[in-house]
Amino acid sequence: MSRLDVRKTYKLYIGGAFPRSESGRSYEVVSASGEFLANAAMGSRKDVRDAVVAARGALAKWSGATAYNRGQVLYRVAEVLEGRRAQFVEEVAASEGLSVRAAGAVVDAAVDRLVWYAGWTDKIAQVLGNLNPVAGPFFNVSAPEPTGVVGVLAPQGSSLLGLVSVVAPVIASGNTAVVVSSAARPLPAVTFSEVLATSDVPGGVVNIVTAQTAEVATWLAAHRDVNAIDLTGVAGAEGVDWAALEAEAAGNLKRVYRPTLADGAPVEPDWNADPGLGRIRAFVETKTVWHPKGL
Amino acid sequence: MVTVSTTTHTAQDLTAQARDVLGVSRLTNHALTSWLHGLPGVDQVGCEARAASLGTRSIKTTSKAWAIDTAIGMIDLTTLEGSDTVGKVRSLCAKALVPDPLDPTTPRPAAICVYGDMVATAKAALGDSGIHVAAVATAFPSGRASMPVKLADTRDAVEAGADEIDMVIDRGAFLSGDYLTVFNQIAEVKQACGTAHLKVIMETGELVTYDNVRRASYLSMLAGGDFIKTSTGKVQPAATLPVTLIMLEAVRDWRDLTGSQVGVKPAGGIKTTKDAIKYLVMVSEIAGDDWLAPEWFRFGASSLLNDLILQRQKLATGAYSGADYVTID
């Protein structure tokens, strides 16, 4: 007798919990070759709103944690992700239409990327901060601080390595994130949220909303309680005008991380390239302190 | 501008009225007990189901805008902390005068609610704005003091200029069945209030059963309360939808019985616009639209105002707002 399939309907990841979409909607996720994979929750603007509330609530604790502690937590995420390697390989292979070997390389690169950013957490201040020379009896110190709540439009194509590469630099410096996953390939993001929930990442630090990018991106970009937005995921997203999103983001002077452009059109960056510090630098603010020199 | 009745009541008047309502020649504990215990019991499951179903109404667009402005106008903006300072009370008053500096059309709350010693400060800060000053009195929040102390507490606040007095009932006396003591205390405090409005805090979180909430509501109205109020905010659970539903039924039936209208004030734990709108729906459905005014329905709250303002900004701008756009309090 053949066994019945366990067909899955996934949910969102908001505030450390896995709620259904407030709208009650879900959509079918199909593989690169068109086969049914699972149902994913179709997040709405109100789910994004709830995610922002959760991210704002988590900010004080996460940004107040020591950089050393954040590094340990990110390393733990890498450990747990590697522990579920087989599941990720399967999902990446199905979602992106890769061979098992190629998908394995993607998962390994994602683990390595997390470890790389884990190592950076307590070195950001040394590299981006400075003791400035001033003409007076003062210490003049510039130090990077997290920008706050960051909205992230995750890449549409690279559903795991791309996702990890945009989320890790945001949270490494102490920001909290509201992530809109790849619309057509959300399953690695869903499993990644299960990884986050079972590592030591406090609830609300990363919130993942599976949604149609065009539907929720405007709300995220216009949200007054979001301090920065990463527009990487507009590349390949249907019906999304990134310039309009940037204009919405200007409503509260958000930091905007623009998508990679080729001939004026957004394209997905090469995720295997050396990430550099650009994404960390984009989501920190420099605070400069003058302190009188004693004798 | 909220109007306040200017009739004063002596405790003797109130006792005489109570005798008429009960149809007895002498107001005794026995008479009160048989009357209060003769009230129909509350169907707990039905009451909670009704309250929950009224909480599912969808209030959108223009109705929501109306509800938000109405709710703001019903707030008793409250600070009742041991750490209250003159500065904090003044800043709360400033917030009541200009709730949202970004939008001057934002309505003002109905009143500021403070401890008795802060009444003069609040009164001076509010001037002739028409915003009332409400003072908690009678050994708030426990109510554990002798009657002369409670009366002195009340008179002190009234003399300092309080427009409204929020008193607490003696829950110990109520729970031990000494209804006459509770009645007399409310009636005497009412007399001490003079022209000030009297809100009677029943502290429903300590009354244990819904039947007791109904009895305390009737007892408070019988003894001359102008408002019945759920809680001090110092005890959990504070205001809940089912408890407020019972109180709204009580004021509705009381008006049918005696012809006089009494207000309702849920206080404590109402923090979001969504909560506030659920209460407004319930007021309209249970008591009726006559109660949908600051004279007859109030919210005892502090953080609720900020959430209402955020929702108001969302309706105005079309974008979700954030805590950076309201005052910290």
Side-chain angles (χ1 to χ4, degrees):
Chain A
M1 201 167 80
S2 68
R3 197 172 153 267
L4 281 178
D5 287 346
V6 180
R7 295 207 153 188
K8 300 174 188 72
T9 300
Y10 291 111
K11 296 188 274 190
L12 309 172
Y13 181 56
I14 295 173
F18 291 92
R20 286 189 178 80
S21 168
E22 151 293 323
S23 64
R25 299 174 304 174
S26 60
Y27 66 107
E28 288 193 2
V29 179
V30 295
S31 69
S33 53
E35 293 144 26
F36 174 83
L37 291 176
N39 295 300
M42 193 193 284
S44 67
R45 65 182 170 91
K46 293 192 178 179
D47 295 314
V48 169
R49 172 199 65 186
D50 294 347
V52 172
V53 171
R56 178 60 63 190
L59 183 65
K61 188 178 167 202
W62 183 244
S63 61
T66 61
Y68 170 72
N69 180 237
R70 282 200 298 273
Q72 285 184 312
V73 170
L74 275 179
Y75 191 81
R76 177 77 188 137
V77 175
E79 285 178 359
V80 178
L81 199 157
E82 177 146 69
R84 296 175 71 156
R85 189 176 183 282
Q87 185 184 359
F88 276 107
V89 169
E90 190 185 329
E91 286 174 352
V92 170
S95 297
E96 302 184 16
L98 300 176
S99 69
V100 170
R101 175 192 286 265
V106 167
V107 176
D108 291 343
V111 173
D112 294 350
R113 184 73 29 100
L114 278 165
V115 172
W116 193 78
Y117 277 114
W120 265 110
T121 55
D122 57 359
K123 298 165 190 73
I124 298 169
Q126 291 92 310
V127 177
L128 299 185
N130 199 28
L131 181 62
N132 308 309
V134 289
F138 300 97
F139 289 116
N140 184 267
V141 184
S142 291
E145 294 197 338
T147 301
V149 173
V150 180
V152 178
L153 302 183
Q156 304 295 331
S158 181
S159 55
L160 180 65
L161 179 57
L163 174 76
V164 166
S165 301
V166 294
V167 173
V170 166
I171 61 173
S173 60
N175 299 294
T176 56
V178 174
V179 183
V180 179
S181 76
S182 166
R185 302 171 175 179
L187 295 193
V190 170
T191 308
F192 185 59
S193 62
E194 289 169 5
V195 165
L196 294 168
T198 49
S199 29
D200 298 324
V201 183
V205 170
V206 180
N207 305 277
I208 299 183
V209 178
T210 52
Q212 302 303 313
T213 312
E215 182 192 339
V216 297
T218 318
W219 292 97
L220 190 57
H223 200 307
R224 298 282 196 270
D225 207 25
V226 173
N227 303 107
I229 188 163
D230 176 354
L231 297 179
T232 304
V234 300
E238 262 175 56
V240 182
D241 174 4
W242 72 271
L245 292 180
E246 184 165 339
E248 289 284 1
N252 70 331
L253 306 180
K254 278 182 197 66
R255 298 282 173 192
V256 175
Y257 191 85
R258 290 183 167 172
T260 309
L261 298 177
D263 298 330
V267 294
E268 208 161 308
D270 173 14
W271 298 111
N272 288 308
D274 176 4
L277 279 188
R279 287 181 171 274
I280 290 180
R281 186 184 281 119
F283 302 112
V284 293
E285 306 296 326
T286 298
K287 180 168 83 180
T288 297
V289 180
W290 296 69
H291 192 281
K293 274 183 188 167
L295 286 175
Chain B
M1 183 76 189
V2 181
T3 54
V4 167
S5 76
T6 50
T7 46
T8 57
H9 298 275
T10 65
Q12 289 75 21
D13 289 344
L14 291 163
T15 306
Q17 280 173 21
R19 281 200 308 266
D20 287 348
V21 173
L22 268 60
V24 293
S25 60
R26 208 159 61 86
L27 194 64
T28 60
N29 222 343
H30 178 74
L32 281 169
T33 305
S34 40
W35 184 63
L36 291 172
H37 286 248
L39 293 168
V42 178
D43 170 2
Q44 182 182 344
V45 173
C47 169
E48 285 170 1
R50 178 93 171 113
S53 78
L54 288 175
T56 61
R57 295 279 173 88
S58 181
I59 308 292
K60 301 290 181 202
T61 62
T62 49
S63 311
K64 186 174 182 183
W66 180 88
I68 287 171
D69 281 6
T70 305
I72 292 175
M74 289 174 167
I75 288 179
D76 281 4
L77 198 58
T78 304
T79 182
L80 296 170
E81 300 297 334
S83 56
D84 282 349
T85 59
V86 168
K88 186 174 177 197
V89 171
R90 280 196 193 125
S91 75
L92 199 73
C93 292
K95 170 132 187 166
L97 291 167
V98 187
D100 183 2
L102 298 172
D103 184 357
T105 65
T106 310
R108 289 168 168 173
I112 290 285
C113 184
V114 290
Y115 271 110
D117 62 334
M118 291 292 177
V119 168
T121 307
K123 206 65 194 163
L126 292 170
D128 57 0
S129 62
I131 299 174
H132 284 180
V133 175
V136 294
T138 70
F140 181 94
S142 67
R144 295 256 70 86
S146 70
M147 209 45 212
V149 172
K150 290 183 181 181
L151 290 175
D153 195 9
T154 309
R155 284 193 198 102
D156 190 46
V158 172
E159 278 162 22
D163 306 288
E164 304 172 4
I165 296 292
D166 288 27
M167 73 168 287
V168 289
I169 65 167
D170 183 341
R171 280 89 74 192
F174 181 89
L175 290 170
S176 55
D178 190 359
Y179 299 129
L180 189 61
T181 297
V182 180
F183 177 92
N184 286 336
Q185 290 192 355
I186 299 172
E188 283 179 50
V189 173
K190 173 69 185 169
Q191 185 176 345
C193 283
T195 57
H197 243 45
L198 177 65
K199 306 198 197 96
V200 183
I201 304 173
M202 306 187 299
E203 196 64 291
T204 52
E206 291 181 347
L207 295 186
V208 189
T209 66
Y210 288 151
D211 285 348
N212 274 345
V213 172
R214 180 169 280 174
R215 286 170 193 147
S217 301
Y218 276 88
L219 186 59
S220 304
M221 293 187 290
L222 189 71
D226 299 304
F227 255 84
I228 49 177
K229 173 175 168 183
T230 57
S231 333
T232 59
K234 305 290 182 194
V235 169
Q236 290 301 326
T240 64
L241 286 167
V243 155
T244 311
L245 186 147
I246 293 164
M247 290 163 59
L248 286 165
E249 286 177 343
V251 296
R252 176 196 66 197
D253 295 344
W254 180 256
R255 188 175 71 170
D256 291 347
L257 183 69
T258 66
S260 63
Q261 191 168 346
V262 173
V264 175
K265 175 179 172 185
I270 306 168
K271 295 187 189 308
T272 64
T273 303
K274 209 178 235 179
D275 289 343
I277 290 177
K278 286 179 188 175
Y279 279 94
L280 292 183
V281 168
M282 209 158 71
V283 171
S284 171
E285 288 290 329
I286 304 293
D289 292 349
D290 290 353
W291 269 267
L292 274 179
E295 289 84 354
W296 305 113
F297 193 78
R298 296 279 182 86
F299 292 106
S302 43
S303 57
L304 173 64
L305 179 56
N306 271 352
D307 196 67
L308 286 163
I309 291 171
L310 289 178
Q311 294 301 321
R312 213 171 176 277
Q313 291 173 347
K314 155 78 172 61
L315 288 179
T317 64
Y320 287 116
S321 195
D324 290 348
Y325 297 85
V326 289
T327 56
I328 301 165
D329 48 26

